[in-house]
Amino acid sequence: MASFEETIMKKVGVLTGGGDCPGLNSVIRAVVRYADKEGYKVVGVKNGWKGMIENDTIDMDINSVSGILPKGGTILGTSRTNPYKKEGQVEKVKANFKKMGLEALIAIGGEDTLGVASKLCKEGLNVVGAPKTIDNDLSGTDVTFGFDTAINIATEAIDRLHTTAESHHRAMVVEVMGRHAGWIATEAGLAGGADVILIPELPIDIEEVCELLKKRHARGKSFSIIVVAEGAKFKEGKLVKQEEKLDAFGHIRLGGIGHRLGEEIEKRAKIETRVTVLGHLQRGGTPTAFDRVLGTRFGIKAMELVLNKDYGKMAALDGNKVTAVPLEDAVSKLKTVDMELYNIAKIFFG
Ligand code: F6P
């Protein structure tokens, strides 16, 4: 017979924090289904760390996760709330953790959400993580879920822009997300056959870009596709932001480099140019099969970490294997673009 302590402690919490991303629901579903098999109750914490501060939860069972695999976003809601930002909120998180009767909490998120998870763990809470972000910029894992869907959306957009670019003999600039890493730009650009790809890791040399485009036009190609990451900046230039305000994690809202670049191309290379900003389209809608499978594997691994009381870790992909890495390692440094991959894309420039 289970001890009194075991009976009251078999409860796990799950939350999703930060920007939403396709595949979040597959992680939640995997956690709930596996937890149910192991005799755990699941508490869904609403809107990321905000729900932990406000004790805003819903009880979950296998019926609450039925039919959610193809759904984008997160059924739990999300926020960019950072409990370390305001005095007294971490204490509230700790008190509510106790009040909810949690044995452990599974935090599904990127650098910010998992950064909080890592700190809370050091302060004694039993937390594990699952890595999400369309940006693919988390260390410790080869890939994050959500990235595959984002690059497929961006690739489709590039494919569609090709036909109109060709008909009108224009240059088309496509601005993609990715914050301070150029993963989406590099992989979608490579898959879509972009003629130039510009990423935050390498400052933009506008002269070089225009030269490439002019050469391409000179060899009879009267259209071009330029993919630019939102975090890319001109040599000696600044990041292009949408507003000055910082979020609770100190991030600025990026966006606008596409239009700046388009103006420069038109002015310097004398090529008619149009700009498309993909924005949140890259985050919305149904996840790819890859992201559903990866999210499911991460959810199962996160729950396995809870069962093994192996706290302070994050599920991760290493080659084809799902492993676990310390949360601290995952959030200590941004994973920027693999230059070997970028150099392959570069062979196709111009
Ligand atoms: O981190 C994911 C991401 O989509 C980034 O690529 C982008 O810069 C940011 O979130 C946008 O955030 P928000 O949804 O708050 O506008």
Side-chain angles (χ1 to χ4, degrees), residues 231-289:
K233 53 179 194 250
F234 291 110
K235 258 188 189 168
E236 288 124 33
K238 284 195 193 138
L239 279 171
V240 184
K241 327 173 201 175
Q242 290 193 45
E243 57 180 20
E244 289 304 318
K245 219 171 77 195
L246 301 179
D247 72 12
F249 289 93
H251 300 300
I252 43 166
R253 263 183 80 198
L254 294 169
I257 181 68
H259 286 282
R260 298 270 176 93
L261 185 67
E263 282 163 22
E264 290 300 321
I265 291 172
E266 239 180 24
K267 197 168 76 192
R268 294 168 187 250
K270 311 268 183 291
I271 300 168
E272 190 182 17
T273 305
R274 293 289 186 270
V275 180
T276 304
V277 180
L278 293 184
H280 293 81
L281 278 175
Q282 294 157 98
R283 277 198 352 221
T286 191
T288 57

Side-chain angles (χ1 to χ4, degrees), residues 203-262:
I204 304 171
D205 182 336
I206 189 67
E207 285 302 328
E208 197 187 322
V209 171
C210 290
E211 265 324 294
L212 277 167
L213 299 181
K214 282 198 275 188
K215 262 197 204 146
R216 185 176 149 78
H217 282 225
R219 76 171 162 93
K221 285 286 179 191
S222 67
F223 70 97
S224 299
I225 305 284
I226 302 104
V227 178
V228 62
E230 61 178 1
K233 53 179 194 250
F234 291 110
K235 258 188 189 168
E236 288 124 33
K238 284 195 193 138
L239 279 171
V240 184
K241 327 173 201 175
Q242 290 193 45
E243 57 180 20
E244 289 304 318
K245 219 171 77 195
L246 301 179
D247 72 12
F249 289 93
H251 300 300
I252 43 166
R253 263 183 80 198
L254 294 169
I257 181 68
H259 286 282
R260 298 270 176 93
L261 185 67

Side-chain angles (χ1 to χ4, degrees), residues 19 80 133-135 177-179 184 230 253-254 280 283:
R80 294 202 191 273
T133 170
I134 62 162
D135 303 340
M177 280 185 167
R179 220 165 235 161
I184 300 178
E230 61 178 1
R253 263 183 80 198
L254 294 169
H280 293 81
R283 277 198 352 221

Side-chain angles (χ1 to χ4, degrees), residues 109-112 114 130-133 135-144 183 314 327 329-335:
E111 177 204 359
D112 300 331
L114 297 183
K132 74 89 228 193
T133 170
D135 303 340
N136 196 35
D137 58 357
L138 259 181
S139 292
T141 183
D142 288 351
V143 199
T144 53
W183 288 103
M314 174 190 92
L327 274 168
D329 295 356
V331 298
S332 60
K333 149 171 175 281
L334 204 71
K335 186 181 74 185

